[in-house]
Amino acid sequence: MKRTSTLDMASLATATALGVVMSFAATMGAAAQTEITFSYLWGGVEGEALEQIIADFNASQSNIVVKGVSSPDTTKQLASMSSTSGSFDISDNFGSNVGAWASKGILHPLDDAGIDVADFIPASIDQVTYDGKLYSIPIAVHDYQLIYNKKLLDEAGVAVPATMDELAAAIKALTKVDGSGNITQLGLGYAWMPTTMTVLGYAFGGDWNGGGKPTPTDANAIKGVNFYADNVVRPYTSAAVNKFIAGFGPYMSPEDPFHTGKIAMVIDGEWRSASLGKVEGLDWGVAQIPAASPELANSTLVEVSTLFIPTNSQHKAEAAEFLKYLVSPPVMAKFSHALGNLPARTSLLGDPIYADLPNYAAWLDALKSPNAKSFSSAPYVTEYVTDLGSAFDAVVQGTQTAEDALKGVADRSATYAQ
């Protein structure tokens, strides 16, 4: 009994000591890992796709643990970047903000991050470069086309418009008003007003950023704004349009007005190719946005979704490693496919992974158009785009003419940081 007890005691002591060693080793292993926070603007299905990529990265190595946080509030994002100690180590936004943020010193330069940008679409790199330095890396690019409801066009006997005159006629034929003057169906709506107005300005041959400077009073750009106001708003009054829009469900939800047939046509981006195909009973197509003349065919706005590291990140090296993973060809392909986005790498533009996305080629082909334009990366662009949005809204609300509203932007542009 005594011998057995002694052996048991010895075994217990050995097991206890081994447990302590293993616990210490586990603690040391955990301590060796660096946790970084990836605060991203995406949510819903897009956020779920990103979380899967985060999980894949975490499983691929043992030095870094990425914690994903969906935070669509851009005001909160900027506040964190501007503080002494930020709440995240890597995040995303759009290329149009890079110049303004880099000039404030809140973006960490990425020239030494070890990312070869030779394979990236040149225009996307131009938009994330400020004062000769790279401050962000493109994860995807975007452009805009005319999406239409085939059933509604067929019922109205309307062909897919190819000219501005045809678009104006289609809007009229596809807009329905009841006996009380209430709009029940809108011929052309918008996913986001500033984008729609900007693209229409390009389609009339305008340039919002001519010579790298704000040109809000460009005569042809103003024609695009007036086209929307003259054909969508003024025939039915701003009050009637506002009342109709007030009943819309959330964007890209089951109650989205394009999903439910309340809007017959809309100008929107390529990400809709991944979602519209899942809407039961919706037969839809995509066409080039009509242009004022043949030489302006396939005029569109190109935007860039980017990834960046804030200056106040406490884990810049680890964040850079994760950033490199996110923009590597296989991961970029997986991510952009899940979201229906256009990849930022030229080597992926013909990748068969995108073959199952309906109508995706229309947006892809637009990237090759000489009439695909983007705003510069100058520090003033963020403020300028905000002012343009306010001016566009004033026109749609009927409180100002396009000429007066955009002259006001031109006057304010004299105060922009250059």
Side-chain angles (χ1 to χ4, degrees), residues 27-42:
T27 301
M28 289 300 291
Q33 289 185 320
T34 300
E35 181 178 285
I36 65 173
T37 299
F38 179 20
S39 177
Y40 52 84
L41 301 178
W42 293 285

PDB file of all heavy atoms in Angstrom, residues 27-42:
ATOM      1  N   THR A  27       0.845  29.532 -22.553  1.00  0.00           N
ATOM      2  CA  THR A  27       0.774  30.966 -22.270  1.00  0.00           C
ATOM      3  C   THR A  27       1.817  31.722 -23.070  1.00  0.00           C
ATOM      4  O   THR A  27       1.552  32.777 -23.645  1.00  0.00           O
ATOM      5  CB  THR A  27       0.980  31.225 -20.766  1.00  0.00           C
ATOM      6  OG1 THR A  27      -0.032  30.533 -20.050  1.00  0.00           O
ATOM      7  CG2 THR A  27       0.890  32.710 -20.473  1.00  0.00           C
ATOM      8  N   MET A  28       3.028  31.169 -23.127  1.00  0.00           N
ATOM      9  CA  MET A  28       4.096  31.813 -23.889  1.00  0.00           C
ATOM     10  C   MET A  28       3.753  31.841 -25.368  1.00  0.00           C
ATOM     11  O   MET A  28       4.006  32.815 -26.063  1.00  0.00           O
ATOM     12  CB  MET A  28       5.417  31.068 -23.666  1.00  0.00           C
ATOM     13  CG  MET A  28       5.996  31.263 -22.263  1.00  0.00           C
ATOM     14  SD  MET A  28       6.338  33.024 -21.901  1.00  0.00           S
ATOM     15  CE  MET A  28       7.692  33.308 -23.005  1.00  0.00           C
ATOM     16  N   GLY A  29       3.129  30.717 -25.880  1.00  0.00           N
ATOM     17  CA  GLY A  29       2.753  30.675 -27.290  1.00  0.00           C
ATOM     18  C   GLY A  29       1.713  31.722 -27.610  1.00  0.00           C
ATOM     19  O   GLY A  29       1.782  32.409 -28.617  1.00  0.00           O
ATOM     20  N   ALA A  30       0.738  31.854 -26.699  1.00  0.00           N
ATOM     21  CA  ALA A  30      -0.301  32.858 -26.918  1.00  0.00           C
ATOM     22  C   ALA A  30       0.282  34.255 -26.874  1.00  0.00           C
ATOM     23  O   ALA A  30      -0.089  35.129 -27.638  1.00  0.00           O
ATOM     24  CB  ALA A  30      -1.393  32.698 -25.861  1.00  0.00           C
ATOM     25  N   ALA A  31       1.233  34.456 -25.951  1.00  0.00           N
ATOM     26  CA  ALA A  31       1.839  35.775 -25.820  1.00  0.00           C
ATOM     27  C   ALA A  31       2.665  36.129 -27.046  1.00  0.00           C
ATOM     28  O   ALA A  31       2.852  37.289 -27.375  1.00  0.00           O
ATOM     29  CB  ALA A  31       2.696  35.823 -24.553  1.00  0.00           C
ATOM     30  N   ALA A  32       3.183  35.092 -27.741  1.00  0.00           N
ATOM     31  CA  ALA A  32       4.020  35.341 -28.908  1.00  0.00           C
ATOM     32  C   ALA A  32       3.188  35.830 -30.086  1.00  0.00           C
ATOM     33  O   ALA A  32       3.717  36.410 -31.023  1.00  0.00           O
ATOM     34  CB  ALA A  32       4.775  34.070 -29.294  1.00  0.00           C
ATOM     35  N   GLN A  33       1.874  35.579 -30.074  1.00  0.00           N
ATOM     36  CA  GLN A  33       1.008  36.041 -31.136  1.00  0.00           C
ATOM     37  C   GLN A  33       0.635  37.509 -30.926  1.00  0.00           C
ATOM     38  O   GLN A  33       0.411  37.934 -29.804  1.00  0.00           O
ATOM     39  CB  GLN A  33      -0.270  35.203 -31.178  1.00  0.00           C
ATOM     40  CG  GLN A  33      -0.072  33.777 -31.666  1.00  0.00           C
ATOM     41  CD  GLN A  33      -1.388  33.049 -31.797  1.00  0.00           C
ATOM     42  OE1 GLN A  33      -2.264  33.200 -30.952  1.00  0.00           O
ATOM     43  NE2 GLN A  33      -1.535  32.265 -32.851  1.00  0.00           N
ATOM     44  N   THR A  34       0.582  38.224 -32.035  1.00  0.00           N
ATOM     45  CA  THR A  34       0.167  39.625 -31.978  1.00  0.00           C
ATOM     46  C   THR A  34      -1.243  39.739 -32.532  1.00  0.00           C
ATOM     47  O   THR A  34      -1.509  39.296 -33.645  1.00  0.00           O
ATOM     48  CB  THR A  34       1.117  40.509 -32.803  1.00  0.00           C
ATOM     49  OG1 THR A  34       2.440  40.405 -32.290  1.00  0.00           O
ATOM     50  CG2 THR A  34       0.663  41.961 -32.753  1.00  0.00           C
ATOM     51  N   GLU A  35      -2.129  40.320 -31.758  1.00  0.00           N
ATOM     52  CA  GLU A  35      -3.504  40.520 -32.228  1.00  0.00           C
ATOM     53  C   GLU A  35      -3.629  41.899 -32.856  1.00  0.00           C
ATOM     54  O   GLU A  35      -3.213  42.899 -32.277  1.00  0.00           O
ATOM     55  CB  GLU A  35      -4.489  40.395 -31.069  1.00  0.00           C
ATOM     56  CG  GLU A  35      -5.947  40.585 -31.536  1.00  0.00           C
ATOM     57  CD  GLU A  35      -6.964  40.419 -30.425  1.00  0.00           C
ATOM     58  OE1 GLU A  35      -7.212  39.266 -30.032  1.00  0.00           O
ATOM     59  OE2 GLU A  35      -7.476  41.452 -29.939  1.00  0.00           O
ATOM     60  N   ILE A  36      -4.167  41.939 -34.052  1.00  0.00           N
ATOM     61  CA  ILE A  36      -4.434  43.210 -34.715  1.00  0.00           C
ATOM     62  C   ILE A  36      -5.927  43.301 -35.025  1.00  0.00           C
ATOM     63  O   ILE A  36      -6.613  42.288 -35.166  1.00  0.00           O
ATOM     64  CB  ILE A  36      -3.611  43.387 -36.007  1.00  0.00           C
ATOM     65  CG1 ILE A  36      -4.018  42.353 -37.068  1.00  0.00           C
ATOM     66  CG2 ILE A  36      -2.116  43.299 -35.700  1.00  0.00           C
ATOM     67  CD1 ILE A  36      -3.359  42.599 -38.425  1.00  0.00           C
ATOM     68  N   THR A  37      -6.421  44.520 -35.108  1.00  0.00           N
ATOM     69  CA  THR A  37      -7.837  44.751 -35.369  1.00  0.00           C
ATOM     70  C   THR A  37      -8.033  45.283 -36.785  1.00  0.00           C
ATOM     71  O   THR A  37      -7.400  46.258 -37.182  1.00  0.00           O
ATOM     72  CB  THR A  37      -8.429  45.760 -34.364  1.00  0.00           C
ATOM     73  OG1 THR A  37      -8.300  45.223 -33.043  1.00  0.00           O
ATOM     74  CG2 THR A  37      -9.896  46.019 -34.656  1.00  0.00           C
ATOM     75  N   PHE A  38      -8.885  44.603 -37.533  1.00  0.00           N
ATOM     76  CA  PHE A  38      -9.251  45.028 -38.878  1.00  0.00           C
ATOM     77  C   PHE A  38     -10.673  45.569 -38.812  1.00  0.00           C
ATOM     78  O   PHE A  38     -11.647  44.829 -38.708  1.00  0.00           O
ATOM     79  CB  PHE A  38      -9.159  43.841 -39.835  1.00  0.00           C
ATOM     80  CG  PHE A  38      -9.535  44.149 -41.270  1.00  0.00           C
ATOM     81  CD1 PHE A  38      -9.531  45.453 -41.755  1.00  0.00           C
ATOM     82  CD2 PHE A  38      -9.866  43.131 -42.144  1.00  0.00           C
ATOM     83  CE1 PHE A  38      -9.848  45.740 -43.075  1.00  0.00           C
ATOM     84  CE2 PHE A  38     -10.197  43.399 -43.472  1.00  0.00           C
ATOM     85  CZ  PHE A  38     -10.188  44.698 -43.935  1.00  0.00           C
ATOM     86  N   SER A  39     -10.795  46.892 -38.822  1.00  0.00           N
ATOM     87  CA  SER A  39     -12.105  47.544 -38.795  1.00  0.00           C
ATOM     88  C   SER A  39     -12.515  47.814 -40.241  1.00  0.00           C
ATOM     89  O   SER A  39     -11.854  48.565 -40.954  1.00  0.00           O
ATOM     90  CB  SER A  39     -12.023  48.862 -38.014  1.00  0.00           C
ATOM     91  OG  SER A  39     -13.253  49.536 -38.041  1.00  0.00           O
ATOM     92  N   TYR A  40     -13.596  47.169 -40.684  1.00  0.00           N
ATOM     93  CA  TYR A  40     -13.986  47.297 -42.084  1.00  0.00           C
ATOM     94  C   TYR A  40     -15.397  47.870 -42.217  1.00  0.00           C
ATOM     95  O   TYR A  40     -16.230  47.729 -41.327  1.00  0.00           O
ATOM     96  CB  TYR A  40     -13.883  45.944 -42.801  1.00  0.00           C
ATOM     97  CG  TYR A  40     -14.600  44.801 -42.122  1.00  0.00           C
ATOM     98  CD1 TYR A  40     -15.954  44.582 -42.320  1.00  0.00           C
ATOM     99  CD2 TYR A  40     -13.902  43.915 -41.298  1.00  0.00           C
ATOM    100  CE1 TYR A  40     -16.619  43.532 -41.719  1.00  0.00           C
ATOM    101  CE2 TYR A  40     -14.552  42.854 -40.681  1.00  0.00           C
ATOM    102  CZ  TYR A  40     -15.914  42.665 -40.904  1.00  0.00           C
ATOM    103  OH  TYR A  40     -16.559  41.619 -40.302  1.00  0.00           O
ATOM    104  N   LEU A  41     -15.629  48.527 -43.359  1.00  0.00           N
ATOM    105  CA  LEU A  41     -16.895  49.204 -43.601  1.00  0.00           C
ATOM    106  C   LEU A  41     -17.976  48.269 -44.119  1.00  0.00           C
ATOM    107  O   LEU A  41     -19.151  48.618 -44.102  1.00  0.00           O
ATOM    108  CB  LEU A  41     -16.700  50.348 -44.605  1.00  0.00           C
ATOM    109  CG  LEU A  41     -15.690  51.440 -44.221  1.00  0.00           C
ATOM    110  CD1 LEU A  41     -15.578  52.467 -45.344  1.00  0.00           C
ATOM    111  CD2 LEU A  41     -16.088  52.121 -42.924  1.00  0.00           C
ATOM    112  N   TRP A  42     -17.598  47.098 -44.591  1.00  0.00           N
ATOM    113  CA  TRP A  42     -18.568  46.161 -45.147  1.00  0.00           C
ATOM    114  C   TRP A  42     -19.431  45.553 -44.053  1.00  0.00           C
ATOM    115  O   TRP A  42     -19.045  45.468 -42.892  1.00  0.00           O
ATOM    116  CB  TRP A  42     -17.854  45.037 -45.897  1.00  0.00           C
ATOM    117  CG  TRP A  42     -17.145  45.468 -47.122  1.00  0.00           C
ATOM    118  CD1 TRP A  42     -17.692  45.795 -48.333  1.00  0.00           C
ATOM    119  CD2 TRP A  42     -15.719  45.634 -47.279  1.00  0.00           C
ATOM    120  NE1 TRP A  42     -16.705  46.148 -49.223  1.00  0.00           N
ATOM    121  CE2 TRP A  42     -15.482  46.053 -48.603  1.00  0.00           C
ATOM    122  CE3 TRP A  42     -14.630  45.452 -46.431  1.00  0.00           C
ATOM    123  CZ2 TRP A  42     -14.218  46.296 -49.102  1.00  0.00           C
ATOM    124  CZ3 TRP A  42     -13.357  45.691 -46.929  1.00  0.00           C
ATOM    125  CH2 TRP A  42     -13.162  46.117 -48.236  1.00  0.00           C
TER     126      TRP A  42
END
